[in-house]
Amino acid sequence: MLDTVKAWVRQSQRIAVLTGAGVSAESGVPTFRDAQTGYWAQFRPEDMATEAGFRAHPQRVWDWYQYRRDLLAGVSPNAGHRALADFQSRHPDRITLITQNVDGMHHRAGSTGVLCLHGDIFHDRWLNTTRNCCFVDHAVAGHPPYCDCCGNLLRPGVVWFGEPLPLATLEAAEQAASQCDLMLVVGTAGAVYPAAGLAHQARAAGARVVVLNPAPSALDEVAHQVLKGTAATLLPQLLD
Ligand code: BV8
């Protein structure tokens, strides 16, 4: 099966790659739905990664993002991230990298033009975007930074559940999915939409779809091939 997919990679002029949290797992970044460790294990990410969750518990959600940012500061891209960046450097016109991740690891590995469907954990933006806030008071103990003129809160610049994806990014990803010869779906449970729908879109447009995952995923059903294994093991073999 691996040799078949390697041949497909060689034959493909337009490769779309859709990554999820699993591509960063071997860097030591807990996947989105892994049982979180310690204090955070008591909360569901799906509840905290929402505007309602932030409004209800701004301190808790802000601390959760700060915890994830601190964790990311101490890890490095793995062989899977590097294989994607190296392939792009050798074949810049043959690959489009689409990620659900907010961890910035593809950029740190050297990938460029990454379509970040769910934003960037290291960016901040105002919770209430209609206000013209003046400046930010530094975060007081355990409270998100806020505008001390109007009380607007600063929030992480990620896409929360129930929020629309950045339209231009999503449209570019949909175009890549509908025009590719091959889609590699790497390290995602395939549970979050509209991101997961890109694999269905690629299949419907006639592309070969290959899932790379050590465990079963919801996108196995749309794949022509499922390679059981990890990103850091499989991607360097496929993209050599
Ligand atoms: C929206 C940022 C509409 C925050 C995240 C159908 C259509 C449209 C929407 C929906 C729909 N059905 C349901 C919805 C609503 C919802 C949704 O999908 N809910 C799910 C829970 C059912 N979608 C939304 O709300 C989206 N918005 O649709 O808006 C709209 C339009 C107009 C106006 C208003 C609204 C927004 C979704 C974005 C949510 N934000 N992240 C943050 O990070 O804090 S999503 C979050 O999940 C992460 O970004 C993560 O990447 C993503 C997906 O999870 P996975 O990547 O798959 O990670 P997971 O842990 O689940 O799985 C890891 C996988 O890796 C596993 O399979 C594992 O086996 C594998 N693995 C482990 N180790 C390795 C490995 N693989 C390879 N190598 C390894 N070593």
Side-chain angles (χ1 to χ4, degrees), residues 20-22 25-26 31-33 65 68 100-102 118 159 161-164 187-189 191-194 213-215 230-231:
E26 286 154 289
T31 62
F32 198 70
R33 280 172 197 75
Y65 281 95
R68 293 167 63 191
Q100 300 173 82
N101 299 342
V102 298
H118 297 154
V159 178
F161 289 101
E163 295 183 330
T188 181
V192 174
Y193 283 79
N213 199 316
T230 71

PDB file of all heavy atoms in Angstrom, residues 20-22 25-26 31-33 65 68 100-102 118 159 161-164 187-189 191-194 213-215 230-231, ligand 1:
ATOM      1  N   GLY A  20      -4.456  17.646  10.755  1.00  0.00           N
ATOM      2  CA  GLY A  20      -5.140  17.868  12.027  1.00  0.00           C
ATOM      3  C   GLY A  20      -4.145  17.727  13.164  1.00  0.00           C
ATOM      4  O   GLY A  20      -2.936  17.600  12.945  1.00  0.00           O
ATOM      5  N   ALA A  21      -4.670  17.726  14.363  1.00  0.00           N
ATOM      6  CA  ALA A  21      -3.822  17.779  15.555  1.00  0.00           C
ATOM      7  C   ALA A  21      -2.817  16.631  15.620  1.00  0.00           C
ATOM      8  O   ALA A  21      -1.737  16.754  16.208  1.00  0.00           O
ATOM      9  CB  ALA A  21      -4.701  17.780  16.806  1.00  0.00           C
ATOM     10  N   GLY A  22      -3.131  15.496  14.979  1.00  0.00           N
ATOM     11  CA  GLY A  22      -2.231  14.343  15.031  1.00  0.00           C
ATOM     12  C   GLY A  22      -0.883  14.595  14.402  1.00  0.00           C
ATOM     13  O   GLY A  22       0.115  13.970  14.774  1.00  0.00           O
ATOM     14  N   ALA A  25       1.393  15.587  17.107  1.00  0.00           N
ATOM     15  CA  ALA A  25       1.446  14.712  18.300  1.00  0.00           C
ATOM     16  C   ALA A  25       2.879  14.292  18.620  1.00  0.00           C
ATOM     17  O   ALA A  25       3.306  14.300  19.779  1.00  0.00           O
ATOM     18  CB  ALA A  25       0.563  13.483  18.084  1.00  0.00           C
ATOM     19  N   GLU A  26       3.671  13.960  17.568  1.00  0.00           N
ATOM     20  CA  GLU A  26       5.037  13.476  17.829  1.00  0.00           C
ATOM     21  C   GLU A  26       5.998  14.605  18.182  1.00  0.00           C
ATOM     22  O   GLU A  26       7.169  14.379  18.458  1.00  0.00           O
ATOM     23  CB  GLU A  26       5.530  12.659  16.628  1.00  0.00           C
ATOM     24  CG  GLU A  26       4.858  11.283  16.575  1.00  0.00           C
ATOM     25  CD  GLU A  26       4.781  10.694  15.185  1.00  0.00           C
ATOM     26  OE1 GLU A  26       3.998  11.221  14.378  1.00  0.00           O
ATOM     27  OE2 GLU A  26       5.473   9.720  14.919  1.00  0.00           O
ATOM     28  N   THR A  31      -3.089  16.065  21.281  1.00  0.00           N
ATOM     29  CA  THR A  31      -4.090  16.295  20.239  1.00  0.00           C
ATOM     30  C   THR A  31      -5.326  16.917  20.880  1.00  0.00           C
ATOM     31  O   THR A  31      -5.486  16.925  22.103  1.00  0.00           O
ATOM     32  CB  THR A  31      -4.493  14.966  19.551  1.00  0.00           C
ATOM     33  OG1 THR A  31      -5.077  14.123  20.532  1.00  0.00           O
ATOM     34  CG2 THR A  31      -3.280  14.301  18.930  1.00  0.00           C
ATOM     35  N   PHE A  32      -6.189  17.462  20.023  1.00  0.00           N
ATOM     36  CA  PHE A  32      -7.280  18.302  20.511  1.00  0.00           C
ATOM     37  C   PHE A  32      -8.214  17.554  21.454  1.00  0.00           C
ATOM     38  O   PHE A  32      -8.710  18.091  22.426  1.00  0.00           O
ATOM     39  CB  PHE A  32      -8.079  18.841  19.319  1.00  0.00           C
ATOM     40  CG  PHE A  32      -8.935  20.019  19.674  1.00  0.00           C
ATOM     41  CD1 PHE A  32      -8.352  21.233  19.975  1.00  0.00           C
ATOM     42  CD2 PHE A  32     -10.317  19.899  19.750  1.00  0.00           C
ATOM     43  CE1 PHE A  32      -9.130  22.325  20.325  1.00  0.00           C
ATOM     44  CE2 PHE A  32     -11.100  20.979  20.097  1.00  0.00           C
ATOM     45  CZ  PHE A  32     -10.509  22.200  20.381  1.00  0.00           C
ATOM     46  N   ARG A  33      -8.430  16.290  21.147  1.00  0.00           N
ATOM     47  CA  ARG A  33      -9.377  15.526  21.973  1.00  0.00           C
ATOM     48  C   ARG A  33      -8.702  14.478  22.848  1.00  0.00           C
ATOM     49  O   ARG A  33      -9.369  13.693  23.485  1.00  0.00           O
ATOM     50  CB  ARG A  33     -10.439  14.884  21.080  1.00  0.00           C
ATOM     51  CG  ARG A  33     -11.489  15.889  20.707  1.00  0.00           C
ATOM     52  CD  ARG A  33     -12.447  15.361  19.671  1.00  0.00           C
ATOM     53  NE  ARG A  33     -13.139  16.480  19.087  1.00  0.00           N
ATOM     54  CZ  ARG A  33     -12.578  17.311  18.217  1.00  0.00           C
ATOM     55  NH1 ARG A  33     -11.350  17.103  17.826  1.00  0.00           N
ATOM     56  NH2 ARG A  33     -13.225  18.346  17.726  1.00  0.00           N
ATOM     57  N   TYR A  65      -5.641  28.839  27.079  1.00  0.00           N
ATOM     58  CA  TYR A  65      -4.859  29.210  25.879  1.00  0.00           C
ATOM     59  C   TYR A  65      -3.425  29.565  26.262  1.00  0.00           C
ATOM     60  O   TYR A  65      -2.475  29.208  25.566  1.00  0.00           O
ATOM     61  CB  TYR A  65      -5.545  30.337  25.103  1.00  0.00           C
ATOM     62  CG  TYR A  65      -6.691  29.811  24.258  1.00  0.00           C
ATOM     63  CD1 TYR A  65      -8.007  29.819  24.711  1.00  0.00           C
ATOM     64  CD2 TYR A  65      -6.437  29.240  23.005  1.00  0.00           C
ATOM     65  CE1 TYR A  65      -9.041  29.295  23.953  1.00  0.00           C
ATOM     66  CE2 TYR A  65      -7.464  28.706  22.237  1.00  0.00           C
ATOM     67  CZ  TYR A  65      -8.764  28.728  22.723  1.00  0.00           C
ATOM     68  OH  TYR A  65      -9.780  28.193  21.971  1.00  0.00           O
ATOM     69  N   ARG A  68      -1.547  26.380  26.637  1.00  0.00           N
ATOM     70  CA  ARG A  68      -1.209  25.788  25.354  1.00  0.00           C
ATOM     71  C   ARG A  68      -0.101  26.564  24.672  1.00  0.00           C
ATOM     72  O   ARG A  68       0.790  25.983  24.038  1.00  0.00           O
ATOM     73  CB  ARG A  68      -2.471  25.702  24.492  1.00  0.00           C
ATOM     74  CG  ARG A  68      -3.503  24.709  25.044  1.00  0.00           C
ATOM     75  CD  ARG A  68      -4.853  24.872  24.377  1.00  0.00           C
ATOM     76  NE  ARG A  68      -4.809  24.585  22.950  1.00  0.00           N
ATOM     77  CZ  ARG A  68      -5.819  24.853  22.105  1.00  0.00           C
ATOM     78  NH1 ARG A  68      -6.914  25.455  22.560  1.00  0.00           N
ATOM     79  NH2 ARG A  68      -5.735  24.550  20.824  1.00  0.00           N
ATOM     80  N   GLN A 100      -5.967  22.344  10.117  1.00  0.00           N
ATOM     81  CA  GLN A 100      -6.976  22.681  11.118  1.00  0.00           C
ATOM     82  C   GLN A 100      -6.298  23.185  12.386  1.00  0.00           C
ATOM     83  O   GLN A 100      -6.946  23.699  13.291  1.00  0.00           O
ATOM     84  CB  GLN A 100      -7.807  21.458  11.477  1.00  0.00           C
ATOM     85  CG  GLN A 100      -8.552  20.837  10.316  1.00  0.00           C
ATOM     86  CD  GLN A 100      -9.202  19.532  10.730  1.00  0.00           C
ATOM     87  OE1 GLN A 100     -10.276  19.517  11.317  1.00  0.00           O
ATOM     88  NE2 GLN A 100      -8.539  18.434  10.433  1.00  0.00           N
ATOM     89  N   ASN A 101      -4.993  23.002  12.455  1.00  0.00           N
ATOM     90  CA  ASN A 101      -4.261  23.298  13.681  1.00  0.00           C
ATOM     91  C   ASN A 101      -4.022  24.796  13.829  1.00  0.00           C
ATOM     92  O   ASN A 101      -3.930  25.524  12.842  1.00  0.00           O
ATOM     93  CB  ASN A 101      -2.919  22.566  13.694  1.00  0.00           C
ATOM     94  CG  ASN A 101      -3.106  21.052  13.628  1.00  0.00           C
ATOM     95  OD1 ASN A 101      -4.195  20.557  13.899  1.00  0.00           O
ATOM     96  ND2 ASN A 101      -2.070  20.339  13.225  1.00  0.00           N
ATOM     97  N   VAL A 102      -3.916  25.221  15.060  1.00  0.00           N
ATOM     98  CA  VAL A 102      -3.671  26.638  15.375  1.00  0.00           C
ATOM     99  C   VAL A 102      -2.274  26.813  15.978  1.00  0.00           C
ATOM    100  O   VAL A 102      -1.927  27.888  16.445  1.00  0.00           O
ATOM    101  CB  VAL A 102      -4.753  27.158  16.358  1.00  0.00           C
ATOM    102  CG1 VAL A 102      -6.124  27.064  15.718  1.00  0.00           C
ATOM    103  CG2 VAL A 102      -4.721  26.393  17.683  1.00  0.00           C
ATOM    104  N   HIS A 118      -8.439  27.377  11.048  1.00  0.00           N
ATOM    105  CA  HIS A 118      -8.981  27.709  12.382  1.00  0.00           C
ATOM    106  C   HIS A 118      -8.190  28.786  13.093  1.00  0.00           C
ATOM    107  O   HIS A 118      -8.304  28.939  14.307  1.00  0.00           O
ATOM    108  CB  HIS A 118      -9.040  26.430  13.242  1.00  0.00           C
ATOM    109  CG  HIS A 118      -9.958  25.390  12.677  1.00  0.00           C
ATOM    110  ND1 HIS A 118      -9.811  24.050  12.928  1.00  0.00           N
ATOM    111  CD2 HIS A 118     -11.018  25.504  11.841  1.00  0.00           C
ATOM    112  CE1 HIS A 118     -10.757  23.376  12.285  1.00  0.00           C
ATOM    113  NE2 HIS A 118     -11.497  24.234  11.617  1.00  0.00           N
ATOM    114  N   VAL A 159     -10.564  30.306  15.552  1.00  0.00           N
ATOM    115  CA  VAL A 159     -11.976  30.144  15.197  1.00  0.00           C
ATOM    116  C   VAL A 159     -12.603  29.212  16.223  1.00  0.00           C
ATOM    117  O   VAL A 159     -12.209  28.032  16.317  1.00  0.00           O
ATOM    118  CB  VAL A 159     -12.136  29.555  13.780  1.00  0.00           C
ATOM    119  CG1 VAL A 159     -13.621  29.357  13.454  1.00  0.00           C
ATOM    120  CG2 VAL A 159     -11.474  30.447  12.740  1.00  0.00           C
ATOM    121  N   PHE A 161     -15.821  27.053  18.025  1.00  0.00           N
ATOM    122  CA  PHE A 161     -16.997  26.327  17.532  1.00  0.00           C
ATOM    123  C   PHE A 161     -18.181  27.289  17.470  1.00  0.00           C
ATOM    124  O   PHE A 161     -18.373  28.108  18.374  1.00  0.00           O
ATOM    125  CB  PHE A 161     -17.298  25.143  18.449  1.00  0.00           C
ATOM    126  CG  PHE A 161     -16.291  24.032  18.323  1.00  0.00           C
ATOM    127  CD1 PHE A 161     -15.288  23.883  19.276  1.00  0.00           C
ATOM    128  CD2 PHE A 161     -16.317  23.160  17.241  1.00  0.00           C
ATOM    129  CE1 PHE A 161     -14.336  22.877  19.154  1.00  0.00           C
ATOM    130  CE2 PHE A 161     -15.366  22.154  17.122  1.00  0.00           C
ATOM    131  CZ  PHE A 161     -14.380  22.027  18.070  1.00  0.00           C
ATOM    132  N   GLY A 162     -18.885  27.208  16.359  1.00  0.00           N
ATOM    133  CA  GLY A 162     -20.031  28.102  16.155  1.00  0.00           C
ATOM    134  C   GLY A 162     -19.653  29.378  15.439  1.00  0.00           C
ATOM    135  O   GLY A 162     -20.523  30.191  15.111  1.00  0.00           O
ATOM    136  N   GLU A 163     -18.348  29.571  15.175  1.00  0.00           N
ATOM    137  CA  GLU A 163     -17.888  30.765  14.445  1.00  0.00           C
ATOM    138  C   GLU A 163     -17.514  30.389  13.007  1.00  0.00           C
ATOM    139  O   GLU A 163     -17.032  29.282  12.760  1.00  0.00           O
ATOM    140  CB  GLU A 163     -16.677  31.394  15.142  1.00  0.00           C
ATOM    141  CG  GLU A 163     -17.007  31.937  16.535  1.00  0.00           C
ATOM    142  CD  GLU A 163     -15.815  32.628  17.200  1.00  0.00           C
ATOM    143  OE1 GLU A 163     -14.650  32.234  16.929  1.00  0.00           O
ATOM    144  OE2 GLU A 163     -16.044  33.540  18.002  1.00  0.00           O
ATOM    145  N   PRO A 164     -17.730  31.307  12.085  1.00  0.00           N
ATOM    146  CA  PRO A 164     -17.388  30.991  10.690  1.00  0.00           C
ATOM    147  C   PRO A 164     -15.879  30.952  10.478  1.00  0.00           C
ATOM    148  O   PRO A 164     -15.133  31.661  11.154  1.00  0.00           O
ATOM    149  CB  PRO A 164     -18.019  32.163   9.920  1.00  0.00           C
ATOM    150  CG  PRO A 164     -18.078  33.288  10.897  1.00  0.00           C
ATOM    151  CD  PRO A 164     -18.290  32.648  12.249  1.00  0.00           C
ATOM    152  N   GLY A 187      -3.593  12.884  10.265  1.00  0.00           N
ATOM    153  CA  GLY A 187      -3.702  13.159  11.700  1.00  0.00           C
ATOM    154  C   GLY A 187      -4.937  13.905  12.113  1.00  0.00           C
ATOM    155  O   GLY A 187      -4.863  14.826  12.931  1.00  0.00           O
ATOM    156  N   THR A 188      -6.086  13.510  11.528  1.00  0.00           N
ATOM    157  CA  THR A 188      -7.317  14.141  11.985  1.00  0.00           C
ATOM    158  C   THR A 188      -8.396  13.089  12.207  1.00  0.00           C
ATOM    159  O   THR A 188      -8.508  12.138  11.442  1.00  0.00           O
ATOM    160  CB  THR A 188      -7.823  15.222  11.004  1.00  0.00           C
ATOM    161  OG1 THR A 188      -9.021  15.807  11.517  1.00  0.00           O
ATOM    162  CG2 THR A 188      -8.073  14.668   9.608  1.00  0.00           C
ATOM    163  N   ALA A 189      -9.177  13.300  13.245  1.00  0.00           N
ATOM    164  CA  ALA A 189     -10.303  12.393  13.525  1.00  0.00           C
ATOM    165  C   ALA A 189     -11.408  12.592  12.499  1.00  0.00           C
ATOM    166  O   ALA A 189     -12.299  11.763  12.349  1.00  0.00           O
ATOM    167  CB  ALA A 189     -10.828  12.650  14.933  1.00  0.00           C
ATOM    168  N   ALA A 191     -13.749  14.892  12.531  1.00  0.00           N
ATOM    169  CA  ALA A 191     -15.030  15.149  13.207  1.00  0.00           C
ATOM    170  C   ALA A 191     -15.487  16.595  13.090  1.00  0.00           C
ATOM    171  O   ALA A 191     -16.629  16.916  13.372  1.00  0.00           O
ATOM    172  CB  ALA A 191     -14.915  14.794  14.689  1.00  0.00           C
ATOM    173  N   VAL A 192     -14.564  17.490  12.699  1.00  0.00           N
ATOM    174  CA  VAL A 192     -14.879  18.926  12.710  1.00  0.00           C
ATOM    175  C   VAL A 192     -15.126  19.403  11.279  1.00  0.00           C
ATOM    176  O   VAL A 192     -14.316  19.182  10.377  1.00  0.00           O
ATOM    177  CB  VAL A 192     -13.735  19.715  13.367  1.00  0.00           C
ATOM    178  CG1 VAL A 192     -13.971  21.212  13.251  1.00  0.00           C
ATOM    179  CG2 VAL A 192     -13.613  19.311  14.840  1.00  0.00           C
ATOM    180  N   TYR A 193     -16.275  20.061  11.120  1.00  0.00           N
ATOM    181  CA  TYR A 193     -16.651  20.621   9.812  1.00  0.00           C
ATOM    182  C   TYR A 193     -16.641  22.134   9.873  1.00  0.00           C
ATOM    183  O   TYR A 193     -16.735  22.702  10.967  1.00  0.00           O
ATOM    184  CB  TYR A 193     -18.041  20.094   9.427  1.00  0.00           C
ATOM    185  CG  TYR A 193     -17.989  18.671   8.928  1.00  0.00           C
ATOM    186  CD1 TYR A 193     -17.892  17.612   9.820  1.00  0.00           C
ATOM    187  CD2 TYR A 193     -17.987  18.401   7.565  1.00  0.00           C
ATOM    188  CE1 TYR A 193     -17.803  16.301   9.361  1.00  0.00           C
ATOM    189  CE2 TYR A 193     -17.897  17.092   7.105  1.00  0.00           C
ATOM    190  CZ  TYR A 193     -17.788  16.051   7.998  1.00  0.00           C
ATOM    191  OH  TYR A 193     -17.688  14.766   7.536  1.00  0.00           O
ATOM    192  N   PRO A 194     -16.529  22.816   8.733  1.00  0.00           N
ATOM    193  CA  PRO A 194     -16.459  22.284   7.357  1.00  0.00           C
ATOM    194  C   PRO A 194     -15.089  21.717   6.959  1.00  0.00           C
ATOM    195  O   PRO A 194     -14.948  21.204   5.850  1.00  0.00           O
ATOM    196  CB  PRO A 194     -16.788  23.512   6.510  1.00  0.00           C
ATOM    197  CG  PRO A 194     -16.347  24.668   7.314  1.00  0.00           C
ATOM    198  CD  PRO A 194     -16.581  24.273   8.748  1.00  0.00           C
ATOM    199  N   ASN A 213      -3.089   7.778   9.498  1.00  0.00           N
ATOM    200  CA  ASN A 213      -3.538   7.884  10.884  1.00  0.00           C
ATOM    201  C   ASN A 213      -3.241   6.549  11.582  1.00  0.00           C
ATOM    202  O   ASN A 213      -3.488   5.495  10.989  1.00  0.00           O
ATOM    203  CB  ASN A 213      -5.048   8.167  10.912  1.00  0.00           C
ATOM    204  CG  ASN A 213      -5.523   8.736  12.225  1.00  0.00           C
ATOM    205  OD1 ASN A 213      -5.124   8.261  13.291  1.00  0.00           O
ATOM    206  ND2 ASN A 213      -6.361   9.759  12.173  1.00  0.00           N
ATOM    207  N   PRO A 214      -2.743   6.567  12.826  1.00  0.00           N
ATOM    208  CA  PRO A 214      -2.517   5.288  13.511  1.00  0.00           C
ATOM    209  C   PRO A 214      -3.810   4.620  13.973  1.00  0.00           C
ATOM    210  O   PRO A 214      -3.802   3.453  14.355  1.00  0.00           O
ATOM    211  CB  PRO A 214      -1.646   5.677  14.720  1.00  0.00           C
ATOM    212  CG  PRO A 214      -1.905   7.126  14.935  1.00  0.00           C
ATOM    213  CD  PRO A 214      -2.230   7.702  13.599  1.00  0.00           C
ATOM    214  N   ALA A 215      -4.900   5.394  13.971  1.00  0.00           N
ATOM    215  CA  ALA A 215      -6.185   4.853  14.456  1.00  0.00           C
ATOM    216  C   ALA A 215      -7.279   5.112  13.415  1.00  0.00           C
ATOM    217  O   ALA A 215      -7.109   5.968  12.530  1.00  0.00           O
ATOM    218  CB  ALA A 215      -6.541   5.541  15.778  1.00  0.00           C
ATOM    219  N   THR A 230       1.981   6.724  11.866  1.00  0.00           N
ATOM    220  CA  THR A 230       2.048   8.101  12.362  1.00  0.00           C
ATOM    221  C   THR A 230       2.585   9.047  11.286  1.00  0.00           C
ATOM    222  O   THR A 230       3.263   8.623  10.337  1.00  0.00           O
ATOM    223  CB  THR A 230       2.987   8.197  13.593  1.00  0.00           C
ATOM    224  OG1 THR A 230       4.332   8.012  13.144  1.00  0.00           O
ATOM    225  CG2 THR A 230       2.613   7.173  14.651  1.00  0.00           C
ATOM    226  N   ALA A 231       2.317  10.318  11.490  1.00  0.00           N
ATOM    227  CA  ALA A 231       2.735  11.329  10.506  1.00  0.00           C
ATOM    228  C   ALA A 231       4.247  11.389  10.375  1.00  0.00           C
ATOM    229  O   ALA A 231       4.789  11.460   9.259  1.00  0.00           O
ATOM    230  CB  ALA A 231       2.182  12.686  10.939  1.00  0.00           C
TER     231      ALA A 231
HETATM  232  C1  BV8 B   1     -18.796  26.638  11.542  1.00  0.00           C
HETATM  233  C2  BV8 B   1      -9.596  26.292  17.124  1.00  0.00           C
HETATM  234  C3  BV8 B   1     -20.616  27.883  10.678  1.00  0.00           C
HETATM  235  C4  BV8 B   1      -9.888  26.453  18.590  1.00  0.00           C
HETATM  236  C5  BV8 B   1     -11.034  24.474  16.342  1.00  0.00           C
HETATM  237  C6  BV8 B   1     -21.325  20.725   9.447  1.00  0.00           C
HETATM  238  C7  BV8 B   1     -21.013  21.838   8.684  1.00  0.00           C
HETATM  239  C8  BV8 B   1     -20.580  23.002   9.279  1.00  0.00           C
HETATM  240  C9  BV8 B   1     -20.443  23.068  10.678  1.00  0.00           C
HETATM  241  C10 BV8 B   1     -20.754  21.972  11.436  1.00  0.00           C
HETATM  242  C11 BV8 B   1     -21.194  20.809  10.827  1.00  0.00           C
HETATM  243  N1  BV8 B   1     -21.428  19.908  11.810  1.00  0.00           N
HETATM  244  C12 BV8 B   1     -21.131  20.456  13.016  1.00  0.00           C
HETATM  245  C13 BV8 B   1     -20.739  21.726  12.826  1.00  0.00           C
HETATM  246  C14 BV8 B   1     -20.373  22.649  13.887  1.00  0.00           C
HETATM  247  C15 BV8 B   1     -18.905  22.581  14.283  1.00  0.00           C
HETATM  248  C16 BV8 B   1     -18.366  21.184  14.347  1.00  0.00           C
HETATM  249  O1  BV8 B   1     -17.746  20.711  13.406  1.00  0.00           O
HETATM  250  N2  BV8 B   1     -18.566  20.531  15.485  1.00  0.00           N
HETATM  251  C17 BV8 B   1     -18.024  19.185  15.692  1.00  0.00           C
HETATM  252  C18 BV8 B   1     -17.531  19.042  17.144  1.00  0.00           C
HETATM  253  C19 BV8 B   1     -19.128  18.204  15.384  1.00  0.00           C
HETATM  254  N3  BV8 B   1     -18.112  23.381  13.388  1.00  0.00           N
HETATM  255  C20 BV8 B   1     -17.931  24.683  13.666  1.00  0.00           C
HETATM  256  O2  BV8 B   1     -18.462  25.247  14.620  1.00  0.00           O
HETATM  257  C21 BV8 B   1     -17.049  25.478  12.722  1.00  0.00           C
HETATM  258  N4  BV8 B   1     -17.743  26.675  12.344  1.00  0.00           N
HETATM  259  O3  BV8 B   1     -19.177  25.644  11.001  1.00  0.00           O
HETATM  260  O4  BV8 B   1     -19.395  27.861  11.418  1.00  0.00           O
HETATM  261  C22 BV8 B   1     -21.033  29.295  10.650  1.00  0.00           C
HETATM  262  C23 BV8 B   1     -21.146  29.930   9.422  1.00  0.00           C
HETATM  263  C24 BV8 B   1     -21.579  31.251   9.394  1.00  0.00           C
HETATM  264  C25 BV8 B   1     -21.840  31.941  10.587  1.00  0.00           C
HETATM  265  C26 BV8 B   1     -21.690  31.294  11.827  1.00  0.00           C
HETATM  266  C27 BV8 B   1     -21.279  29.962  11.862  1.00  0.00           C
HETATM  267  C28 BV8 B   1     -15.789  25.929  13.423  1.00  0.00           C
HETATM  268  C29 BV8 B   1     -14.940  24.743  13.813  1.00  0.00           C
HETATM  269  C30 BV8 B   1     -13.562  25.236  14.311  1.00  0.00           C
HETATM  270  C31 BV8 B   1     -13.396  24.910  15.783  1.00  0.00           C
HETATM  271  N5  BV8 B   1     -12.050  25.300  16.224  1.00  0.00           N
HETATM  272  N6  BV8 B   1      -9.821  24.903  16.707  1.00  0.00           N
HETATM  273  C32 BV8 B   1      -8.833  25.819  19.458  1.00  0.00           C
HETATM  274  O5  BV8 B   1      -7.972  25.075  18.953  1.00  0.00           O
HETATM  275  O6  BV8 B   1      -8.848  26.095  20.686  1.00  0.00           O
HETATM  276  S1  BV8 B   1     -11.239  22.870  15.908  1.00  0.00           S
HETATM  277  C33 BV8 B   1     -10.148  21.851  16.737  1.00  0.00           C
HETATM  278  O7  BV8 B   1     -10.506  20.535  16.307  1.00  0.00           O
HETATM  279  C34 BV8 B   1      -8.659  21.955  16.384  1.00  0.00           C
HETATM  280  O8  BV8 B   1      -8.362  22.965  15.469  1.00  0.00           O
HETATM  281  C35 BV8 B   1      -8.358  20.583  15.759  1.00  0.00           C
HETATM  282  O9  BV8 B   1      -7.389  20.596  14.810  1.00  0.00           O
HETATM  283  C36 BV8 B   1      -9.678  20.314  15.184  1.00  0.00           C
HETATM  284  C37 BV8 B   1     -10.016  18.999  14.617  1.00  0.00           C
HETATM  285  O10 BV8 B   1      -9.633  17.968  15.504  1.00  0.00           O
HETATM  286  P1  BV8 B   1      -8.475  16.975  15.000  1.00  0.00           P
HETATM  287  O11 BV8 B   1      -7.420  17.773  14.352  1.00  0.00           O
HETATM  288  O12 BV8 B   1      -9.075  15.901  14.201  1.00  0.00           O
HETATM  289  O13 BV8 B   1      -7.890  16.472  16.362  1.00  0.00           O
HETATM  290  P2  BV8 B   1      -8.399  15.254  17.248  1.00  0.00           P
HETATM  291  O14 BV8 B   1      -7.712  15.372  18.566  1.00  0.00           O
HETATM  292  O15 BV8 B   1      -9.887  15.159  17.207  1.00  0.00           O
HETATM  293  O16 BV8 B   1      -7.846  13.965  16.468  1.00  0.00           O
HETATM  294  C38 BV8 B   1      -6.455  13.759  16.382  1.00  0.00           C
HETATM  295  C39 BV8 B   1      -6.246  12.661  15.362  1.00  0.00           C
HETATM  296  O17 BV8 B   1      -4.847  12.470  15.206  1.00  0.00           O
HETATM  297  C40 BV8 B   1      -6.841  11.321  15.753  1.00  0.00           C
HETATM  298  O18 BV8 B   1      -7.511  10.748  14.665  1.00  0.00           O
HETATM  299  C41 BV8 B   1      -5.608  10.475  16.128  1.00  0.00           C
HETATM  300  O19 BV8 B   1      -5.790   9.101  15.823  1.00  0.00           O
HETATM  301  C42 BV8 B   1      -4.570  11.070  15.221  1.00  0.00           C
HETATM  302  N7  BV8 B   1      -3.179  10.933  15.671  1.00  0.00           N
HETATM  303  C43 BV8 B   1      -2.725  10.840  16.947  1.00  0.00           C
HETATM  304  N8  BV8 B   1      -1.364  10.736  16.927  1.00  0.00           N
HETATM  305  C44 BV8 B   1      -0.983  10.786  15.615  1.00  0.00           C
HETATM  306  C45 BV8 B   1      -2.134  10.912  14.817  1.00  0.00           C
HETATM  307  N9  BV8 B   1      -2.081  10.990  13.467  1.00  0.00           N
HETATM  308  C46 BV8 B   1      -0.870  10.930  12.895  1.00  0.00           C
HETATM  309  N10 BV8 B   1       0.287  10.818  13.583  1.00  0.00           N
HETATM  310  C47 BV8 B   1       0.258  10.740  14.940  1.00  0.00           C
HETATM  311  N11 BV8 B   1       1.418  10.621  15.628  1.00  0.00           N
END
